[in-house]
Amino acid sequence: MRLRGIIYSSIILCFLQVCLSSCGEDDLKNAPKLSDTVSLNTDRTLKVDIIYSDSAKVKAQGFAPILDKVTPLNGSAGYQEMPKGVKINFYSDSLTIKGSITSDYAIMRDLEKTATFRRNVVVVNESMTFNTEELIWDQNKKMFFSPKGIVTRPDGTVLNAVKFTATEDFSTITYENASGEIYVPENFGQ
């Protein structure tokens, strides 16, 4: 009986050795080295309320539930990410809201001086509402850019705009290849 147990134990041990030795190459040899990855330092701020002023005049106010300031430890340029979205109100000289931008996500890149708004982006001012999935603000050019979106005017005009561009205050907008429904008053041409 005891001999039979020793034989079974020997067979099981041999089987385990065969199984373990047939596992192939070591997967750790194929894994990237830790020194090749980028380490990040992240500072998180909750319930952010930022006021932007120029010459002691309030120009804009931004709200974000979460603001992550990310600084790569390898010395590359940092960025600020708003993973839960952002709302920015723009103010006139009399401190009334003259427009806004909202989005479900935003990222500001320090080196490029750009802000990219993504997912459910809505721009509102007195002359239009612009809906898109991506809007980029270039601080150096003082311009907004979007590959495409929908422009809705107060008179009911709805346009599908391609290559949308706007000045920083949205006073001048341009787009290409627009199509849509345009409102024409009944007494047009009389």
Side-chain angles (χ1 to χ4, degrees), residues 65-145:
I66 297 173
L67 173 69
D68 291 332
K69 183 174 174 78
V70 181
T71 309
L73 297 178
N74 65 358
S76 346
Y79 57 91
Q80 297 175 32
E81 188 174 34
M82 290 146 272
K84 297 289 185 181
V86 66
K87 178 171 184 165
I88 301 171
N89 290 326
F90 298 99
Y91 292 97
S92 66
D93 290 338
S94 62
L95 293 180
T96 58
I97 296 175
K98 66 178 186 177
S100 67
I101 296 176
T102 58
S103 69
D104 290 346
Y105 172 85
I107 185 168
M108 296 176 61
R109 300 195 184 281
D110 300 337
L111 186 63
E112 295 91 357
K113 293 191 176 187
T114 62
T116 303
F117 304 91
R118 290 193 181 116
R119 296 191 311 268
N120 300 314
V121 182
V122 180
V123 177
V124 177
N125 68 17
E126 62 274 351
S127 64
M128 59 129 204
T129 299
F130 180 64
N131 297 324
T132 185
E133 288 300 307
E134 182 177 72
L135 182 68
I136 299 169
W137 174 56
D138 187 322
Q139 185 177 357
N140 294 326
K141 295 179 181 178
K142 298 186 179 199
M143 296 285 290
F144 283 95
F145 302 94

Side-chain angles (χ1 to χ4, degrees), residues 13-63:
L13 278 173
C14 288
F15 179 72
L16 285 174
Q17 281 182 330
V18 170
C19 287
L20 291 176
S21 66
S22 66
C23 287
E25 286 190 29
D26 186 7
D27 288 337
L28 289 177
K29 290 179 183 177
N30 298 328
K33 296 178 184 176
L34 289 177
S35 61
D36 293 341
T37 61
V38 176
S39 297
L40 303 175
N41 181 19
T42 304
D43 294 321
R44 177 165 276 192
T45 306
L46 303 176
K47 298 181 182 178
V48 176
D49 183 352
I50 298 174
I51 296 177
Y52 170 75
S53 62
D54 185 17
S55 303
K57 292 183 180 180
V58 174
K59 298 291 185 182
Q61 184 174 18
F63 308 94

